[in-house]
């Protein structure tokens, strides 16, 4: 169960980074140096959020699988 909390925390942090990247891109994206920085922040946040989401999904899927097999007994 601790792994699920770690995945949720990772997902939320990645989502926050993604939102910061979007905000930077929309506000000061017209500057070339900040454009690439905000794009890097956005993509890094997306990758971290998806890594956390994959952990959440696998944890939920394993829980469903365990519940299905336990109910047949």
């Amino acid at each position: 169960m601790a792994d699920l909390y770690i995945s949720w925390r990772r997902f939320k942090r990645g989502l926050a980074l993604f939102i910061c990247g979007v905000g930077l891109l929309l506000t000061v994206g017209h500057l070339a140096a900040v454009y690439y920085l905000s794009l890097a922040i956005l993509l890094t946040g997306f990758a971290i959020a998806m890594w956390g989401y994959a952990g959440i999904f696998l944890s939920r899927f394993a829980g469903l699988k365990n519940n299905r097999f336990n109910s047949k007994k």
Side-chain angles (χ1 to χ4, degrees):
M1 221 22 155
D3 191 36
L4 181 62
Y5 295 118
I6 292 170
S7 294
W8 269 107
R9 190 176 332 133
R10 187 176 294 137
F11 175 74
K12 290 188 284 186
R13 287 180 181 167
L15 187 61
L17 265 176
F18 180 81
I19 291 171
C20 287
V22 168
L24 279 173
L25 192 63
L26 292 176
T27 56
V28 290
H30 61 280
L31 303 172
V34 180
Y35 174 80
Y36 292 112
L37 175 68
S38 62
L39 198 59
I41 292 171
L42 184 139
L43 292 175
T44 302
F46 178 77
I48 293 170
M50 288 300 104
W51 185 22
Y53 186 75
I56 294 167
F57 177 76
L58 291 174
S59 176
R60 301 280 173 134
F61 190 70
L64 288 175
K65 184 178 173 184
N66 288 338
N67 286 340
R68 192 175 89 194
F69 287 125
N70 288 337
S71 66
K72 288 185 178 180
K73 290 182 178 180

